[in-house]
Amino acid sequence: MADRYDPREIENRWQARWEDDGLYRAADDDPRPKWYFLTMFPYTSGDLHVGHWYAMAPSDVGVRYRRMRGYNVMYPIGFDSFGLPAENAAIERGIHPKTWTLNNVERMRGQLKTMGSAFDWSREVITCLPEYYKWNQQIFLKMFDKGLAYRAKGAANWCPHCQTTLANEQITSEGTCERCKTLVTKRDLEQWFLRIKDYADELLDHSGLEWPEHVIAMQKNWIGKSAGVEVSFPLERKDLEEKEIRVFTTRPDTIYGVTFMVLAPEHPLVEKLTTRQREEEVQAYVERTRRLSEIERQSTETEKTGVFTGAYCINRVSRKRVPIYIADYALMHYGTGAVMAVPAHDTRDFAFARKYDIPIVTVIAPPGWKDEGLEEAYTEPGVMVNSAQFDGLLSDKGKEAIADYYEQQGWGHRTYNYRIRDWLISRQRYWGTPIPIIYCPKCSIVPVPEKDLPIVLPDDVEFRPTGESPLKFHQGFLNTACPKCGIAATREVDTMDTFVDSSWYQVRYASPHYDVGPADPKAVAKWLPVDQYTGGAEHATMHLLYARFFVKAMRDLGLVEHSEPFIRLFNQGQILGPDGQRMSKSRGNVVAPDEQVEQHGADTFRCYLMFLGPWDQGGPFDVTGISGISRWMNRVWRLVLDNYDATAAKSNPDIEQSIRKATHKTIKRATEDIERFRFNTLLAALMEFTNELSRTNAIEVVGTGAWREALDSLMLLLAPLAPHITEELWARTGHGYSIHNQSWPEWDESLTVEDEITLVVQVNGKVRDKLSVSASITEDRAKEIALASDKVKGALDGRQVAQVIYVPGRLVNVVIR
RNA sequence: GCCGAAGUGGCGGAAUCGGCAGACGCGGCAGUCUCAAAAACUGUUGGGGGGCGACUCCCGUGUGGGUUCGAGUCCCACCUUCGGCACCA
């Protein structure tokens, strides 16, 4: 009898051994094909939770499988360690952000190691250290040189609680801060932007990427490219510098229906166009709009409001005078900030026209239209009417015809518009990468010379959430000399959005200690792009879009040669508390992984997480089921050790053959499942295999070659899932160290096919009999024995057989009338 | 409103192609062991009905239609849940 399975002892021992041996270190000069596997690095929140395990344990299985398939696998890990929580902890508890963060790194590193993952710790990257963020600064400077980073004043999203600006992507659909759920407002500030919009078309192209369709769809939605025409409407007043209003429209076919014009309240023409009589009202409206938060302004529920400016422009084709309004439903940052309003065919314009008694002219006829007024906007395609020479055209054709006409007349041109906006990276906070820019009274914006990098974050800073960067009050940091002319100048005091850090960390892992640039070109050429990336779907439009942009920008800066960071992407689902709600301390439904590991061992905990269901689905985590995995681990332990060394007492070729078949079928199933990351069914297959071996653990098979092959295969197939117990069993059954350097077992296809099959016999689609027949049965013979079955005869009840369907290897269906 | 994913036993879930619905596991029930309990092991377990019984019949994959010899799987309409976007002209 073998001794008891003691996961704690085994796991500690092997983890130490693997670390001492550097078993998982990826060598740059290994000639085998490379495989770069990456799981999203954790933020240094302080504690590893079940979500981390749920994300990382299955990734580790993928890694170990690739290793067994003969790849030179790199699986690095690090810490995303800049960001607000560190600073908030500093303010609340008087700990320095750096201390807080590095303590958390220490703690989380220890917790991560208990998972028994095949991480290559020698490549660890910690983003809050100057060795890393120096390169953020260098890349930023190169972007600045190329015009990819620019400074602009604009209405920035402002979180009053975090006391900083936010990127568009960091605002929830409720208009609140993604981090603290505070209502976001607007502030006019000079800020740094990166030109992600310049890459919009390239970012829309996901060819060559094996990504989940829904993530691609989300990115496409986010970028929001729409085709249309930019057309001009001449102003009635001729005494202004501007002679026309330019608008973007996707519906040029409705241009005869334009009965008013809407400018965004911030539109530069508003001030110039407004007549003296309307001035007061317009100014009041502009003021009111400015005070509204984004959420109030953008709510589709709010009634359309606006005011007339007193000015008119001319609809070139209908020759009509068109009144110009301002309304907050026109957005300054989309298109030209002006809208040609067609109330008959746009729901917003319709509501506005109704409210302010503006004429509604139908120019696209709905089906069966009899020249009557519309009760609501008709936005579907239809036949053009009231549109002079274009009458009778279908609206789709009309779009092209009018676009052509405008282009011929020189009144407009076809173009595209994008929903995505440039990436605002300035943050008025301390714990981030200092933006390497100096403001000189004489030379204005001056980049820090590369030789002066890194601009190091000073430690002795007072954390006062004032809405301005704490760095502004640090005289030693703030004051400097202009690198160009040498006179007294000040530094940029804002820091970079932490998404900058995670936009290229995957590149840094290739050469984490390289000190003459962000990345060693040789190492990058060897390792990048990432072959398989895994992480949560919440990053679909932020991190994943930023990282794609960054790599393309770095390519154009000559820093890397590839264009896409991540070839394959897998999104795991979200793990919830036992109550089906998000795990949170306030709900009291948090499951601590450390406790589970303490109780059941890492192998069991890992496997249980994978057994819950499909990885991309996530779901509630209920600890009660873990005993099933625990019991199974014990069964495997006993099964392997009890009879491994026995010698065959006598042989039974039938049982041996059936064991061999079970083995090869299991290898096949396991391989197919692991390739598709279907760990739940993979585990089910291994359990079935274990059950079958337990049943046949009889005197006739133990000690035979087939028996050994079965147990060896079981250990090897289980090795990626449960690395510790399998390493221990592998050693105890007299194999060499390490099971994690063995080859993945191969299956013999001829051993996976059955000689006997169950032929299902149906009558009118209902199962009436099951017959055990030879797999090589002919169609005629199968039909014959099916019809001969007593049960079929009984079901026929003397009625006429109309047809007999045969599906090879599966069933016979007798159709009767 | 738009885009995307999903609805299967008491529970988590399985079912590459349209072909035995419920694999595997939890929980439950019964049993073995035990003074007893726990643990472990064995058997059983979709619902309903009939038979002493080997058995047998009916119903059943969110709802309603459809295609098909045959539908959890395909098509149409709808309901519910979750995720994303949302005055984008």
PDB file of all heavy atoms in Angstrom, chain A residues 298 304 334 348 612 631 770 813, chain B residues 12 20 24 26 69 86-89:
ATOM      1  N   GLN A 298     -25.440  63.499 -22.781  1.00  0.00           N
ATOM      2  CA  GLN A 298     -25.502  62.440 -23.783  1.00  0.00           C
ATOM      3  C   GLN A 298     -26.663  61.482 -23.573  1.00  0.00           C
ATOM      4  O   GLN A 298     -26.823  60.553 -24.349  1.00  0.00           O
ATOM      5  CB  GLN A 298     -24.187  61.664 -23.797  1.00  0.00           C
ATOM      6  CG  GLN A 298     -23.030  62.549 -24.190  1.00  0.00           C
ATOM      7  CD  GLN A 298     -22.078  61.861 -25.124  1.00  0.00           C
ATOM      8  OE1 GLN A 298     -22.023  60.657 -25.198  1.00  0.00           O
ATOM      9  NE2 GLN A 298     -21.322  62.639 -25.870  1.00  0.00           N
ATOM     10  N   LYS A 304     -34.887  66.907 -26.538  1.00  0.00           N
ATOM     11  CA  LYS A 304     -34.005  67.716 -27.381  1.00  0.00           C
ATOM     12  C   LYS A 304     -34.265  69.194 -27.093  1.00  0.00           C
ATOM     13  O   LYS A 304     -35.409  69.644 -27.118  1.00  0.00           O
ATOM     14  CB  LYS A 304     -34.289  67.433 -28.854  1.00  0.00           C
ATOM     15  CG  LYS A 304     -34.185  65.976 -29.233  1.00  0.00           C
ATOM     16  CD  LYS A 304     -32.761  65.583 -29.539  1.00  0.00           C
ATOM     17  CE  LYS A 304     -32.597  64.092 -29.579  1.00  0.00           C
ATOM     18  NZ  LYS A 304     -32.681  63.424 -28.273  1.00  0.00           N
ATOM     19  N   TYR A 334     -17.476  65.102 -33.100  1.00  0.00           N
ATOM     20  CA  TYR A 334     -17.761  64.151 -34.170  1.00  0.00           C
ATOM     21  C   TYR A 334     -18.027  64.898 -35.460  1.00  0.00           C
ATOM     22  O   TYR A 334     -18.765  65.886 -35.461  1.00  0.00           O
ATOM     23  CB  TYR A 334     -18.957  63.263 -33.803  1.00  0.00           C
ATOM     24  CG  TYR A 334     -19.171  62.153 -34.811  1.00  0.00           C
ATOM     25  CD1 TYR A 334     -18.405  60.994 -34.760  1.00  0.00           C
ATOM     26  CD2 TYR A 334     -20.078  62.293 -35.852  1.00  0.00           C
ATOM     27  CE1 TYR A 334     -18.563  59.991 -35.702  1.00  0.00           C
ATOM     28  CE2 TYR A 334     -20.244  61.292 -36.790  1.00  0.00           C
ATOM     29  CZ  TYR A 334     -19.480  60.141 -36.717  1.00  0.00           C
ATOM     30  OH  TYR A 334     -19.641  59.155 -37.653  1.00  0.00           O
ATOM     31  N   ARG A 348     -33.966  62.082 -34.120  1.00  0.00           N
ATOM     32  CA  ARG A 348     -33.589  63.221 -33.276  1.00  0.00           C
ATOM     33  C   ARG A 348     -34.051  64.530 -33.907  1.00  0.00           C
ATOM     34  O   ARG A 348     -34.631  65.394 -33.251  1.00  0.00           O
ATOM     35  CB  ARG A 348     -32.075  63.252 -33.084  1.00  0.00           C
ATOM     36  CG  ARG A 348     -31.541  62.062 -32.366  1.00  0.00           C
ATOM     37  CD  ARG A 348     -30.118  61.793 -32.763  1.00  0.00           C
ATOM     38  NE  ARG A 348     -29.995  61.582 -34.208  1.00  0.00           N
ATOM     39  CZ  ARG A 348     -28.854  61.423 -34.840  1.00  0.00           C
ATOM     40  NH1 ARG A 348     -27.724  61.490 -34.167  1.00  0.00           N
ATOM     41  NH2 ARG A 348     -28.818  61.212 -36.141  1.00  0.00           N
ATOM     42  N   LEU A 612     -15.120  23.515 -13.627  1.00  0.00           N
ATOM     43  CA  LEU A 612     -16.402  24.204 -13.432  1.00  0.00           C
ATOM     44  C   LEU A 612     -17.222  24.339 -14.708  1.00  0.00           C
ATOM     45  O   LEU A 612     -18.440  24.323 -14.683  1.00  0.00           O
ATOM     46  CB  LEU A 612     -16.158  25.611 -12.880  1.00  0.00           C
ATOM     47  CG  LEU A 612     -15.770  25.713 -11.408  1.00  0.00           C
ATOM     48  CD1 LEU A 612     -15.442  27.150 -11.057  1.00  0.00           C
ATOM     49  CD2 LEU A 612     -16.897  25.197 -10.529  1.00  0.00           C
ATOM     50  N   ARG A 631     -11.253  13.833  -4.307  1.00  0.00           N
ATOM     51  CA  ARG A 631     -11.413  12.371  -4.295  1.00  0.00           C
ATOM     52  C   ARG A 631     -10.710  11.742  -5.494  1.00  0.00           C
ATOM     53  O   ARG A 631     -10.049  10.717  -5.380  1.00  0.00           O
ATOM     54  CB  ARG A 631     -12.896  11.993  -4.348  1.00  0.00           C
ATOM     55  CG  ARG A 631     -13.605  12.213  -3.031  1.00  0.00           C
ATOM     56  CD  ARG A 631     -14.903  11.401  -2.976  1.00  0.00           C
ATOM     57  NE  ARG A 631     -16.020  12.125  -3.549  1.00  0.00           N
ATOM     58  CZ  ARG A 631     -16.914  12.814  -2.828  1.00  0.00           C
ATOM     59  NH1 ARG A 631     -16.806  12.873  -1.516  1.00  0.00           N
ATOM     60  NH2 ARG A 631     -17.905  13.434  -3.397  1.00  0.00           N
ATOM     61  N   LYS A 770     -31.834  -1.203 -29.642  1.00  0.00           N
ATOM     62  CA  LYS A 770     -30.403  -0.953 -29.813  1.00  0.00           C
ATOM     63  C   LYS A 770     -29.749  -2.300 -30.050  1.00  0.00           C
ATOM     64  O   LYS A 770     -29.966  -3.231 -29.260  1.00  0.00           O
ATOM     65  CB  LYS A 770     -29.828  -0.300 -28.554  1.00  0.00           C
ATOM     66  CG  LYS A 770     -30.373   1.104 -28.328  1.00  0.00           C
ATOM     67  CD  LYS A 770     -29.880   1.666 -27.011  1.00  0.00           C
ATOM     68  CE  LYS A 770     -30.627   2.955 -26.685  1.00  0.00           C
ATOM     69  NZ  LYS A 770     -30.175   3.533 -25.411  1.00  0.00           N
ATOM     70  N   ASN A 813     -33.484   4.173 -39.319  1.00  0.00           N
ATOM     71  CA  ASN A 813     -34.789   4.745 -38.988  1.00  0.00           C
ATOM     72  C   ASN A 813     -35.825   4.180 -39.948  1.00  0.00           C
ATOM     73  O   ASN A 813     -35.744   4.379 -41.158  1.00  0.00           O
ATOM     74  CB  ASN A 813     -34.745   6.279 -39.086  1.00  0.00           C
ATOM     75  CG  ASN A 813     -36.034   6.918 -38.585  1.00  0.00           C
ATOM     76  OD1 ASN A 813     -36.840   6.245 -37.933  1.00  0.00           O
ATOM     77  ND2 ASN A 813     -36.223   8.184 -38.896  1.00  0.00           N
TER      78      ASN A 813
ATOM     79  P     G B  12     -26.796  25.559 -12.458  1.00  0.00           P
ATOM     80  OP1   G B  12     -26.854  27.010 -12.730  1.00  0.00           O
ATOM     81  OP2   G B  12     -27.591  24.613 -13.279  1.00  0.00           O
ATOM     82  O5'   G B  12     -25.280  25.094 -12.530  1.00  0.00           O
ATOM     83  C5'   G B  12     -24.290  25.816 -11.810  1.00  0.00           C
ATOM     84  C4'   G B  12     -22.935  25.224 -12.087  1.00  0.00           C
ATOM     85  O4'   G B  12     -22.868  23.884 -11.538  1.00  0.00           O
ATOM     86  C3'   G B  12     -22.607  25.010 -13.556  1.00  0.00           C
ATOM     87  O3'   G B  12     -22.220  26.216 -14.182  1.00  0.00           O
ATOM     88  C2'   G B  12     -21.481  23.987 -13.457  1.00  0.00           C
ATOM     89  O2'   G B  12     -20.289  24.604 -13.037  1.00  0.00           O
ATOM     90  C1'   G B  12     -22.005  23.085 -12.336  1.00  0.00           C
ATOM     91  N9    G B  12     -22.772  21.959 -12.895  1.00  0.00           N
ATOM     92  C8    G B  12     -24.134  21.898 -13.094  1.00  0.00           C
ATOM     93  N7    G B  12     -24.521  20.776 -13.628  1.00  0.00           N
ATOM     94  C5    G B  12     -23.351  20.050 -13.795  1.00  0.00           C
ATOM     95  C6    G B  12     -23.145  18.754 -14.337  1.00  0.00           C
ATOM     96  O6    G B  12     -23.982  17.967 -14.784  1.00  0.00           O
ATOM     97  N1    G B  12     -21.803  18.400 -14.315  1.00  0.00           N
ATOM     98  C2    G B  12     -20.787  19.188 -13.847  1.00  0.00           C
ATOM     99  N2    G B  12     -19.561  18.672 -13.925  1.00  0.00           N
ATOM    100  N3    G B  12     -20.968  20.400 -13.342  1.00  0.00           N
ATOM    101  C4    G B  12     -22.261  20.762 -13.350  1.00  0.00           C
ATOM    102  P     C B  20     -28.197  10.662 -31.200  1.00  0.00           P
ATOM    103  OP1   C B  20     -29.166  11.696 -30.807  1.00  0.00           O
ATOM    104  OP2   C B  20     -26.778  10.791 -30.820  1.00  0.00           O
ATOM    105  O5'   C B  20     -28.715   9.238 -30.717  1.00  0.00           O
ATOM    106  C5'   C B  20     -30.067   8.859 -30.910  1.00  0.00           C
ATOM    107  C4'   C B  20     -30.531   8.134 -29.678  1.00  0.00           C
ATOM    108  O4'   C B  20     -29.695   6.972 -29.501  1.00  0.00           O
ATOM    109  C3'   C B  20     -30.393   8.956 -28.383  1.00  0.00           C
ATOM    110  O3'   C B  20     -31.480   8.650 -27.526  1.00  0.00           O
ATOM    111  C2'   C B  20     -29.092   8.443 -27.786  1.00  0.00           C
ATOM    112  O2'   C B  20     -29.036   8.554 -26.384  1.00  0.00           O
ATOM    113  C1'   C B  20     -29.134   6.979 -28.219  1.00  0.00           C
ATOM    114  N1    C B  20     -27.803   6.391 -28.296  1.00  0.00           N
ATOM    115  C2    C B  20     -27.494   5.307 -27.463  1.00  0.00           C
ATOM    116  O2    C B  20     -28.367   4.874 -26.701  1.00  0.00           O
ATOM    117  N3    C B  20     -26.268   4.760 -27.516  1.00  0.00           N
ATOM    118  C4    C B  20     -25.361   5.263 -28.345  1.00  0.00           C
ATOM    119  N4    C B  20     -24.158   4.700 -28.364  1.00  0.00           N
ATOM    120  C5    C B  20     -25.634   6.370 -29.192  1.00  0.00           C
ATOM    121  C6    C B  20     -26.861   6.904 -29.136  1.00  0.00           C
ATOM    122  P     C B  24     -20.299   9.102 -16.719  1.00  0.00           P
ATOM    123  OP1   C B  24     -19.545   7.836 -16.628  1.00  0.00           O
ATOM    124  OP2   C B  24     -21.600   9.252 -16.040  1.00  0.00           O
ATOM    125  O5'   C B  24     -19.363  10.310 -16.242  1.00  0.00           O
ATOM    126  C5'   C B  24     -17.990  10.369 -16.608  1.00  0.00           C
ATOM    127  C4'   C B  24     -17.388  11.669 -16.125  1.00  0.00           C
ATOM    128  O4'   C B  24     -17.964  12.780 -16.860  1.00  0.00           O
ATOM    129  C3'   C B  24     -17.697  12.014 -14.667  1.00  0.00           C
ATOM    130  O3'   C B  24     -16.845  11.320 -13.776  1.00  0.00           O
ATOM    131  C2'   C B  24     -17.470  13.522 -14.663  1.00  0.00           C
ATOM    132  O2'   C B  24     -16.107  13.839 -14.686  1.00  0.00           O
ATOM    133  C1'   C B  24     -18.105  13.904 -15.998  1.00  0.00           C
ATOM    134  N1    C B  24     -19.542  14.226 -15.851  1.00  0.00           N
ATOM    135  C2    C B  24     -19.904  15.514 -15.424  1.00  0.00           C
ATOM    136  O2    C B  24     -19.005  16.329 -15.185  1.00  0.00           O
ATOM    137  N3    C B  24     -21.212  15.818 -15.279  1.00  0.00           N
ATOM    138  C4    C B  24     -22.145  14.895 -15.538  1.00  0.00           C
ATOM    139  N4    C B  24     -23.419  15.239 -15.380  1.00  0.00           N
ATOM    140  C5    C B  24     -21.802  13.574 -15.974  1.00  0.00           C
ATOM    141  C6    C B  24     -20.499  13.283 -16.119  1.00  0.00           C
ATOM    142  P     C B  26     -18.527  13.644  -7.042  1.00  0.00           P
ATOM    143  OP1   C B  26     -17.634  13.300  -5.925  1.00  0.00           O
ATOM    144  OP2   C B  26     -19.504  12.652  -7.528  1.00  0.00           O
ATOM    145  O5'   C B  26     -19.338  14.967  -6.673  1.00  0.00           O
ATOM    146  C5'   C B  26     -18.662  16.094  -6.116  1.00  0.00           C
ATOM    147  C4'   C B  26     -19.633  17.242  -5.958  1.00  0.00           C
ATOM    148  O4'   C B  26     -20.288  17.495  -7.215  1.00  0.00           O
ATOM    149  C3'   C B  26     -20.791  16.979  -5.006  1.00  0.00           C
ATOM    150  O3'   C B  26     -20.404  17.156  -3.655  1.00  0.00           O
ATOM    151  C2'   C B  26     -21.789  18.036  -5.461  1.00  0.00           C
ATOM    152  O2'   C B  26     -21.411  19.326  -5.022  1.00  0.00           O
ATOM    153  C1'   C B  26     -21.610  17.967  -6.980  1.00  0.00           C
ATOM    154  N1    C B  26     -22.582  17.036  -7.600  1.00  0.00           N
ATOM    155  C2    C B  26     -23.928  17.442  -7.707  1.00  0.00           C
ATOM    156  O2    C B  26     -24.244  18.560  -7.268  1.00  0.00           O
ATOM    157  N3    C B  26     -24.839  16.609  -8.258  1.00  0.00           N
ATOM    158  C4    C B  26     -24.450  15.426  -8.716  1.00  0.00           C
ATOM    159  N4    C B  26     -25.387  14.633  -9.263  1.00  0.00           N
ATOM    160  C5    C B  26     -23.090  14.979  -8.627  1.00  0.00           C
ATOM    161  C6    C B  26     -22.200  15.804  -8.067  1.00  0.00           C
ATOM    162  P     C B  69     -38.723  14.171 -45.299  1.00  0.00           P
ATOM    163  OP1   C B  69     -38.294  13.378 -46.459  1.00  0.00           O
ATOM    164  OP2   C B  69     -39.986  14.961 -45.313  1.00  0.00           O
ATOM    165  O5'   C B  69     -38.762  13.231 -44.013  1.00  0.00           O
ATOM    166  C5'   C B  69     -39.815  12.293 -43.852  1.00  0.00           C
ATOM    167  C4'   C B  69     -39.475  11.359 -42.716  1.00  0.00           C
ATOM    168  O4'   C B  69     -38.361  10.514 -43.120  1.00  0.00           O
ATOM    169  C3'   C B  69     -38.960  12.031 -41.453  1.00  0.00           C
ATOM    170  O3'   C B  69     -40.021  12.478 -40.642  1.00  0.00           O
ATOM    171  C2'   C B  69     -38.164  10.911 -40.798  1.00  0.00           C
ATOM    172  O2'   C B  69     -39.003   9.985 -40.161  1.00  0.00           O
ATOM    173  C1'   C B  69     -37.517  10.249 -42.020  1.00  0.00           C
ATOM    174  N1    C B  69     -36.160  10.768 -42.310  1.00  0.00           N
ATOM    175  C2    C B  69     -35.094  10.419 -41.465  1.00  0.00           C
ATOM    176  O2    C B  69     -35.320   9.699 -40.484  1.00  0.00           O
ATOM    177  N3    C B  69     -33.857  10.866 -41.732  1.00  0.00           N
ATOM    178  C4    C B  69     -33.657  11.638 -42.812  1.00  0.00           C
ATOM    179  N4    C B  69     -32.417  12.069 -43.053  1.00  0.00           N
ATOM    180  C5    C B  69     -34.717  12.015 -43.686  1.00  0.00           C
ATOM    181  C6    C B  69     -35.941  11.551 -43.410  1.00  0.00           C
ATOM    182  P     A B  86     -20.341  54.773 -25.770  1.00  0.00           P
ATOM    183  OP1   A B  86     -19.421  55.844 -26.173  1.00  0.00           O
ATOM    184  OP2   A B  86     -20.415  54.324 -24.368  1.00  0.00           O
ATOM    185  O5'   A B  86     -21.828  55.163 -26.189  1.00  0.00           O
ATOM    186  C5'   A B  86     -22.075  55.648 -27.487  1.00  0.00           C
ATOM    187  C4'   A B  86     -23.532  55.524 -27.790  1.00  0.00           C
ATOM    188  O4'   A B  86     -24.091  54.276 -27.344  1.00  0.00           O
ATOM    189  C3'   A B  86     -24.442  56.519 -27.095  1.00  0.00           C
ATOM    190  O3'   A B  86     -24.301  57.798 -27.664  1.00  0.00           O
ATOM    191  C2'   A B  86     -25.806  55.901 -27.374  1.00  0.00           C
ATOM    192  O2'   A B  86     -26.206  56.110 -28.702  1.00  0.00           O
ATOM    193  C1'   A B  86     -25.484  54.412 -27.198  1.00  0.00           C
ATOM    194  N9    A B  86     -25.890  53.950 -25.868  1.00  0.00           N
ATOM    195  C8    A B  86     -25.105  53.617 -24.789  1.00  0.00           C
ATOM    196  N7    A B  86     -25.795  53.252 -23.727  1.00  0.00           N
ATOM    197  C5    A B  86     -27.122  53.361 -24.136  1.00  0.00           C
ATOM    198  C6    A B  86     -28.346  53.117 -23.489  1.00  0.00           C
ATOM    199  N6    A B  86     -28.425  52.700 -22.227  1.00  0.00           N
ATOM    200  N1    A B  86     -29.480  53.317 -24.190  1.00  0.00           N
ATOM    201  C2    A B  86     -29.383  53.739 -25.466  1.00  0.00           C
ATOM    202  N3    A B  86     -28.289  54.003 -26.186  1.00  0.00           N
ATOM    203  C4    A B  86     -27.189  53.790 -25.455  1.00  0.00           C
ATOM    204  P     C B  87     -24.923  59.039 -26.921  1.00  0.00           P
ATOM    205  OP1   C B  87     -23.930  59.948 -26.415  1.00  0.00           O
ATOM    206  OP2   C B  87     -25.947  58.458 -26.019  1.00  0.00           O
ATOM    207  O5'   C B  87     -25.662  59.654 -28.184  1.00  0.00           O
ATOM    208  C5'   C B  87     -26.514  58.833 -28.969  1.00  0.00           C
ATOM    209  C4'   C B  87     -27.383  59.739 -29.790  1.00  0.00           C
ATOM    210  O4'   C B  87     -28.113  60.604 -28.894  1.00  0.00           O
ATOM    211  C3'   C B  87     -26.588  60.617 -30.743  1.00  0.00           C
ATOM    212  O3'   C B  87     -27.177  60.576 -32.029  1.00  0.00           O
ATOM    213  C2'   C B  87     -26.730  62.009 -30.143  1.00  0.00           C
ATOM    214  O2'   C B  87     -26.772  62.998 -31.127  1.00  0.00           O
ATOM    215  C1'   C B  87     -28.079  61.903 -29.459  1.00  0.00           C
ATOM    216  N1    C B  87     -28.310  62.839 -28.376  1.00  0.00           N
ATOM    217  C2    C B  87     -29.568  63.439 -28.327  1.00  0.00           C
ATOM    218  O2    C B  87     -30.416  63.139 -29.184  1.00  0.00           O
ATOM    219  N3    C B  87     -29.828  64.324 -27.344  1.00  0.00           N
ATOM    220  C4    C B  87     -28.890  64.612 -26.448  1.00  0.00           C
ATOM    221  N4    C B  87     -29.196  65.482 -25.512  1.00  0.00           N
ATOM    222  C5    C B  87     -27.590  64.006 -26.485  1.00  0.00           C
ATOM    223  C6    C B  87     -27.355  63.139 -27.465  1.00  0.00           C
ATOM    224  P     C B  88     -26.887  59.289 -32.964  1.00  0.00           P
ATOM    225  OP1   C B  88     -27.737  59.448 -34.129  1.00  0.00           O
ATOM    226  OP2   C B  88     -26.910  58.030 -32.202  1.00  0.00           O
ATOM    227  O5'   C B  88     -25.370  59.550 -33.362  1.00  0.00           O
ATOM    228  C5'   C B  88     -25.036  60.486 -34.400  1.00  0.00           C
ATOM    229  C4'   C B  88     -23.738  60.034 -35.022  1.00  0.00           C
ATOM    230  O4'   C B  88     -22.665  60.472 -34.165  1.00  0.00           O
ATOM    231  C3'   C B  88     -23.664  58.500 -35.120  1.00  0.00           C
ATOM    232  O3'   C B  88     -23.621  57.970 -36.418  1.00  0.00           O
ATOM    233  C2'   C B  88     -22.562  58.082 -34.126  1.00  0.00           C
ATOM    234  O2'   C B  88     -21.729  57.120 -34.610  1.00  0.00           O
ATOM    235  C1'   C B  88     -21.844  59.386 -33.800  1.00  0.00           C
ATOM    236  N1    C B  88     -21.541  59.499 -32.364  1.00  0.00           N
ATOM    237  C2    C B  88     -20.211  59.460 -31.925  1.00  0.00           C
ATOM    238  O2    C B  88     -19.315  59.338 -32.754  1.00  0.00           O
ATOM    239  N3    C B  88     -19.958  59.557 -30.611  1.00  0.00           N
ATOM    240  C4    C B  88     -20.945  59.684 -29.734  1.00  0.00           C
ATOM    241  N4    C B  88     -20.649  59.785 -28.450  1.00  0.00           N
ATOM    242  C5    C B  88     -22.289  59.712 -30.149  1.00  0.00           C
ATOM    243  C6    C B  88     -22.548  59.614 -31.461  1.00  0.00           C
ATOM    244  P     A B  89     -23.267  58.155 -37.671  1.00  0.00           P
ATOM    245  OP1   A B  89     -23.351  56.948 -38.449  1.00  0.00           O
ATOM    246  OP2   A B  89     -22.009  58.904 -37.540  1.00  0.00           O
ATOM    247  O5'   A B  89     -24.404  59.130 -38.235  1.00  0.00           O
ATOM    248  C5'   A B  89     -24.063  60.049 -39.225  1.00  0.00           C
ATOM    249  C4'   A B  89     -25.123  61.102 -39.213  1.00  0.00           C
ATOM    250  O4'   A B  89     -25.163  61.692 -37.893  1.00  0.00           O
ATOM    251  C3'   A B  89     -24.872  62.278 -40.146  1.00  0.00           C
ATOM    252  O3'   A B  89     -25.312  62.005 -41.466  1.00  0.00           O
ATOM    253  C2'   A B  89     -25.657  63.381 -39.489  1.00  0.00           C
ATOM    254  O2'   A B  89     -27.033  63.258 -39.778  1.00  0.00           O
ATOM    255  C1'   A B  89     -25.419  63.084 -38.017  1.00  0.00           C
ATOM    256  N9    A B  89     -24.273  63.834 -37.472  1.00  0.00           N
ATOM    257  C8    A B  89     -23.128  64.245 -38.110  1.00  0.00           C
ATOM    258  N7    A B  89     -22.310  64.904 -37.349  1.00  0.00           N
ATOM    259  C5    A B  89     -22.942  64.934 -36.125  1.00  0.00           C
ATOM    260  C6    A B  89     -22.578  65.488 -34.884  1.00  0.00           C
ATOM    261  N6    A B  89     -21.456  66.157 -34.686  1.00  0.00           N
ATOM    262  N1    A B  89     -23.429  65.342 -33.850  1.00  0.00           N
ATOM    263  C2    A B  89     -24.564  64.681 -34.064  1.00  0.00           C
ATOM    264  N3    A B  89     -25.024  64.103 -35.181  1.00  0.00           N
ATOM    265  C4    A B  89     -24.154  64.275 -36.184  1.00  0.00           C
TER     266        A B  89
END
